[in-house]
Amino acid sequence: MKKIFTPLFLLVFIATAWSQKVEIPVDTTVTTKHSVTINSKNIDYTATTGMQPLWNNDGEPIASLFYTYYKRSNIKNTENRPLVISFNGGPGSASVWMHIAYTGPRVLKIDDEGFPIQPYGIKENPHSILDVADIVYVNPVNTGFSRPIPNEEGEVDKEKFFGVDADVKYLAEWLNTFVSRNNRWLSPKYLIGESYGTTRVSGLALELQNSQWMYLNGVILVSPTELGIERDGPVGIANRLPYFAAAAWYHDALPAELQNKELKDLLEEVENYTINELTPVLVKGGFTESSKKEAAAEKMAYYSGISKEVILQNNLDVDYRYFWKELKRKDGVTVGRLDSRYLGIDAKEAGDSPDYNAELTSWLHSFTPAINHYLRNDLNFETDLKYFMFGPVHPWDRSGNNTGENLRQAMAQNPNLDVLIQSGYFDGATTYFNAKYTMWQLDQSGKLKDRLSFKGYESGHMMYLRAEDLKNANEDIREFIENSLPEEGAPAKY
């Protein structure tokens, strides 16, 4: 039978369709039970995922944040059980990366070097830190399923969310509610952030202490940003060379005598040259003697895998994007930004920068289907909201970024607060040597250096995508947590 739609029916249907809005869950949770084998030991746990509101001063919800909270079962005394609070970066990035590829009880199905494979999906993480700590993965506003809640006029005050200081302040308020609701005030607490998430957790370390009176035992910085610590000019240029050397070493682009070295031995040599010889040459700029400039270009070429002529053409100032394009130009490919092990193909071999980030497209290939399926099918969280891998958070107010100083001050005020830095040697966005520089410059007095530690890995920005480093990096976090827990009854004092 042929169906006939009248104009009136069509009008009603269209009006009804347009009136249906995607609902933002303001305050809801779903809890499921699971188990995982970690270091050959079976661990039972619950996974609670949901939306928790953020309120304004009038008690009205202005945002709802999506989170996933893993809690080990059968723990009688949570006052001895550490809680790890996890953030990713962007600043518009969801918590997906560390959630399903690093510290959580489930990880992506990828190959041992981190490249996507099909069928997509999730498998057990035998290296998760859930054996020693509970974990909550938090998605800031407009990441994951987190959303701002418009006022009666349908407006959102973006200044409350999208900026260095605003981000830290509202997340501290939200965490106060989360810790209270889940009865975790007595638990040792740790923050872990990746990339821009390191800016976020460095600011939170002080904000939680000073505004929420919540003290931490540790902060873990994964592929840290500059944290507001200046390194422009000659220092910024010189600091690129150790990363250039690492990427060139990986791609067999160095002379045989360097290529035959262990990576750490090579990088120690390049670091010493960078600090003791290259930086002084760059400081004099155009007044550098020609012979010294020539010698510097030759040495930079020796360590970087790109030609002396190219380095001189750039006045010793070869930027990152040019390096990613130039290193394997003769082979017709580019190298990745966040992880220079990855290769890309451009429309033209000519040019000053790659057409796209080879590593990021590869990661999205595997992460996006996995997180959407996992949350809805394994954790039973149902919503029609789109999961923002990268959400609309711009313009982002980056003014007044003093997060490095915030972290230093938090450490100074809290004798129990230690910091671990983790970096991949092949990360060209937040390079390992700049991470070291950040650590060196964080506290000029040197009085806190025994509470700052660095770990490097033969991988990129997300070092945990490589199977060997997934194991090693989680073990480093596990040891950091265990070593930073004070003995029972030990006073926090200098």
Side-chain angles (χ1 to χ4, degrees), residues 45-345:
Y45 67 95
T46 57
T48 299
T49 188
M51 309 285 282
Q52 179 185 291
L54 172 75
W55 297 279
N56 62 16
N57 293 334
D58 297 323
E60 301 166 333
I62 57 173
S64 185
L65 268 59
F66 177 69
Y67 69 94
T68 304
Y69 172 40
Y70 295 105
K71 183 180 180 183
R72 184 172 177 176
S73 304
N74 305 315
I75 299 295
K76 295 180 180 179
N77 299 315
T78 56
E79 63 266 26
N80 296 322
R81 175 78 172 163
L83 173 66
V84 174
I85 303 163
S86 180
F87 293 96
N88 273 97
S93 173
S95 69
V96 54
W97 316 102
M98 291 198 291
H99 182 176
I100 60 168
Y102 191 7
T103 51
R106 296 290 188 270
V107 290
L108 288 172
K109 290 180 180 178
I110 49 180
D111 79 358
D112 285 348
E113 291 299 312
F115 290 88
I117 58 174
Q118 291 189 19
Y120 304 115
I122 297 289
K123 61 184 179 180
E124 281 196 2
N125 182 5
H127 311 297
S128 170
I129 60 171
L130 189 58
D131 58 333
V132 297
D134 298 330
I135 320 163
V136 57
Y137 298 91
V138 185
N139 295 268
V141 170
N142 271 356
T143 72
F145 295 131
S146 299
R147 298 291 190 272
I149 298 174
N151 60 20
E152 293 180 355
E153 288 74 35
E155 299 172 342
V156 170
D157 186 357
K158 294 183 178 181
E159 292 184 359
K160 289 185 178 294
F161 308 112
F162 304 147
V164 175
D165 291 337
D167 181 71
V168 165
K169 289 183 182 301
Y170 88 78
L171 287 172
E173 290 287 341
W174 189 92
L175 285 173
N176 187 307
T177 302
F178 177 85
V179 168
S180 296
R181 283 186 171 190
N182 292 278
N183 195 25
R184 300 310 296 260
W185 274 102
L186 299 182
S187 301
K189 299 172 191 66
Y190 293 81
L191 298 179
I192 180 171
E194 178 183 84
S195 196
Y196 184 85
T198 62
T199 301
R200 182 170 280 139
V201 300
S202 295
L204 275 169
L206 186 64
E207 181 71 15
L208 287 171
Q209 283 185 191
N210 288 359
S211 297
Q212 307 298 329
W213 311 286
M214 186 184 298
Y215 286 73
L216 305 172
N217 284 81
V219 173
I220 302 158
L221 306 177
V222 180
S223 304
T225 60
E226 297 176 352
L227 305 184
I229 297 172
E230 295 294 337
R231 65 204 71 199
D232 295 333
V235 170
I237 296 169
N239 280 7
R240 300 169 194 160
L241 187 59
Y243 153 71
F244 288 171
W249 179 89
Y250 178 81
H251 289 290
D252 295 320
L254 298 177
E257 64 271 21
L258 296 181
Q259 207 63 58
N260 291 332
K261 289 177 179 284
E262 293 292 328
L263 180 59
K264 287 185 178 180
D265 294 335
L266 167 66
L267 294 181
E268 183 179 358
E269 178 180 330
V270 180
E271 289 177 24
N272 286 332
Y273 171 74
T274 298
I275 295 168
N276 299 317
E277 299 185 49
L278 179 57
T279 302
V281 170
L282 293 170
V283 165
K284 292 190 70 175
F287 285 78
T288 302
E289 295 90 333
S290 296
S291 60
K292 289 187 177 181
K293 188 173 183 179
E294 286 275 338
E298 189 167 337
K299 199 73 167 180
M300 290 176 72
Y302 180 63
Y303 286 137
S304 69
I306 59 177
S307 72
K308 175 183 175 182
E309 289 72 24
V310 164
I311 292 170
L312 285 171
Q313 287 167 2
N314 285 274
N315 296 321
L316 309 184
D317 183 6
V318 178
D319 68 28
Y320 291 111
R321 296 190 67 82
Y322 192 91
F323 176 80
W324 303 325
K325 182 77 174 183
E326 178 68 18
L327 180 64
K328 292 184 69 64
R329 192 191 297 267
K330 292 179 181 179
D331 297 324
V333 293
T334 62
V335 301
R337 169 179 174 259
L338 292 161
D339 192 330
S340 294
R341 297 176 302 150
Y342 291 70
L343 301 177
I345 299 176

